[in-house]
Amino acid sequence: MQVSSPIPNLDANLAVALDALLTEQSVTRAAARLHTSPAAMSRTLARLRRVLQDPLLVRAGQTMVPTPRAETLRDEAAAVVRRLEALLTPSGGIDPGALRRTFTVQASDLVGAALAPGLLGLARRQAPGVTLRVLAEEWEAGPALREGRIDLEIGSIDHVDPETRVEELVTLRMAAAVRAGHPLAEGLLTPARLAAAEHVAVSRRGRFTGPLDAALAERGLSRRVGAVLPGHLAAMALAAVGDVVCLVPTSLPGEPASPLSSAAHALGLRLLDIPLPLPPLTIGMAWHPRHSADGAHQWLRGAVRRVLRPAGAAEEAHRNDQSPK
C-alpha cells in the first residue's frame, strides 16, 4: 500500500492569502484586507505561485486577472477560509433547540427528585432534544467525571480531584420532618423532646450517627435511631406514615423555598426548626474542565442553576460561566 507523503510547507495563512488575492484580484487591496503591506503580500503571492506552480494573477493593462487555475480555486479557497474561521473562532454559544444529547448526572435520590422536574421542564421549553439520566451516588465522582461516565455530580461535594471544577449552588439547613399528627408537631420543640423521639437516619454507608448526634451529645442527650435508610425519599415515606423523625434540607430563613423540600411537602410532612446549632449543608455541582467551554454543557449547568439556585444568584453565575476563563 502506498503511503502519501505529507504536504510540504502546509500553512493555513496561505489559504487565507489566496482567498484574499483571488477575491480582490489586486495585491494592494488584498494587503489592505489582511492588514499587511503590499510588499509582504507580493512575497506571499510569489510563494503561492511556487507552491501551486501557476501564476494565479497576471497583468492585463492596469489590472490583474486570474488564470484558469485560479478561477477553479476561487470558490474552494473561500470555503476553506470559512471552515478555518469556524474552527478557530471561540464558540459564541449554542442553539438549545438544536441539541440532541443525553446528559448523565450523579446525585442522591432527594437531589435527583428535586432536580428532575425543573430540568425536564426547561428542556421541554428550550431543548426538546435533551434527555436526562440520573444515577445514584454509586461511583467515586472524580474518576467518573474524568472518564466521561457522568457529566455532572450534584450534591454535597467533598471528594474531588484537583482538576475538577466545583461550583456552590445553594446553602441549606436541616429541619426535622414529621407527619402532621406527630407529637412533636404540637408545642415547643426542645432538644430534649427531639432526642426522646424515634428517628430514622439517612446514610449510604449505613451510619447511625451524624451532626445531630454531636449537637445533642454536647447537651448530654442522645437519640434513638430505629432505622438507617440509604435515601431521603424512603426516610420521608416512613416518617409520613409513622411516629418517626427524619432530617430534611430546607431553605435558610428569608430565602426562597428550596425544591429539595418539595417531596417532604408533597408527603404532607411538617418541617420543624431544630433548636440546635447544626452545620449548614452546601449543595454544589462538579464537572471535568474539558466541558467548561462546551456550549451544550454550559446550557446544562445554567439549567441546574435555575432549578436549584435563587433567581438572582443563578443569573449572575450564568454570566460568570459565559465569560472567558
Side-chain angles (χ1 to χ4, degrees), residues 215-226:
L216 288 170
E218 290 183 358
R219 288 161 175 77
L221 300 170
S222 62
R223 62 173 178 159
R224 178 178 179 272
V225 176

Side-chain angles (χ1 to χ4, degrees), residues 163-207:
E163 76 271 16
T164 303
R165 301 288 175 85
V166 178
E167 179 182 325
E168 293 184 0
L169 295 169
V170 64
T171 299
L172 305 169
R173 61 191 171 104
M174 301 305 292
V178 297
R179 67 177 181 86
H182 192 285
L184 290 186
E186 301 296 332
L188 178 66
L189 181 61
T190 65
R193 290 186 69 203
L194 181 62
E198 184 177 3
H199 290 250
V200 55
V202 176
S203 172
R204 288 188 297 118
R205 297 177 177 85
R207 295 172 179 166

Side-chain angles (χ1 to χ4, degrees), residues 118-148:
L119 270 186
L120 290 177
L122 281 173
R124 194 175 295 117
R125 296 191 301 272
Q126 300 179 2
V130 164
T131 55
L132 179 67
R133 179 193 294 121
V134 180
L135 301 181
E137 298 172 297
E138 56 185 342
W139 286 324
E140 185 180 347
L145 290 168
R146 188 187 313 118
E147 295 164 13

Side-chain angles (χ1 to χ4, degrees), residues 18-299:
L18 179 63
D19 175 52
L21 285 163
L22 298 185
T23 300
E24 301 295 341
Q25 296 185 23
S26 163
V27 170
T28 301
R29 290 195 299 270
R33 176 174 172 173
L34 298 183
H35 306 290
T36 188
S37 68
M41 186 55 69
S42 292
R43 291 193 294 272
T44 301
L45 175 57
R47 183 180 174 191
L48 282 165
R49 286 167 169 166
R50 291 194 300 272
V51 169
L52 297 174
Q53 299 181 9
D54 188 272
L56 297 175
L57 294 173
V58 295
R59 283 282 175 191
Q62 299 297 315
T63 63
M64 300 188 79
V65 295
T67 64
R69 175 78 190 282
E71 291 281 7
T72 64
L73 291 175
R74 191 193 329 252
D75 291 343
E76 186 176 352
V80 167
V81 171
R82 286 195 298 270
R83 289 196 294 270
L84 283 171
E85 288 174 346
L87 178 66
L88 300 177
T89 299
S91 173
I94 52 104
D95 174 14
L99 277 179
R100 298 292 182 273
R101 186 153 164 181
T102 296
F103 291 113
T104 301
V105 173
Q106 179 166 289
S108 69
D109 62 340
L110 185 61
V111 173
L115 194 62
L119 270 186
L120 290 177
L122 281 173
R124 194 175 295 117
R125 296 191 301 272
Q126 300 179 2
V130 164
T131 55
L132 179 67
R133 179 193 294 121
V134 180
L135 301 181
E137 298 172 297
E138 56 185 342
W139 286 324
E140 185 180 347
L145 290 168
R146 188 187 313 118
E147 295 164 13
R149 287 177 285 165
I150 60 176
D151 293 290
L152 278 179
E153 181 194 15
I154 305 174
S156 179
I157 311 295
D158 57 2
H159 50 274
V160 297
D161 292 335
E163 76 271 16
T164 303
R165 301 288 175 85
V166 178
E167 179 182 325
E168 293 184 0
L169 295 169
V170 64
T171 299
L172 305 169
R173 61 191 171 104
M174 301 305 292
V178 297
R179 67 177 181 86
H182 192 285
L184 290 186
E186 301 296 332
L188 178 66
L189 181 61
T190 65
R193 290 186 69 203
L194 181 62
E198 184 177 3
H199 290 250
V200 55
V202 176
S203 172
R204 288 188 297 118
R205 297 177 177 85
R207 295 172 179 166
F208 280 79
T209 59
L212 177 58
D213 299 280
L216 288 170
E218 290 183 358
R219 288 161 175 77
L221 300 170
S222 62
R223 62 173 178 159
R224 178 178 179 272
V225 176
V228 179
L229 297 177
H232 280 89
L233 295 182
M236 288 190 292
L238 184 59
V241 298
D243 284 343
V244 296
V245 182
C246 70
L247 300 186
V248 173
T250 190
S251 301
L252 296 175
E255 293 287 344
S258 170
L260 272 77
S261 305
S262 298
H265 295 309
L267 288 168
L269 294 174
R270 295 275 304 277
L271 299 185
L272 309 177
D273 291 337
I274 296 175
L276 294 165
L278 297 181
L281 173 67
T282 298
I283 301 296
M285 60 179 170
W287 68 93
H288 194 272
R290 70 172 175 273
H291 293 309
S292 291
D294 176 50
H297 204 277
Q298 287 180 349
W299 178 88

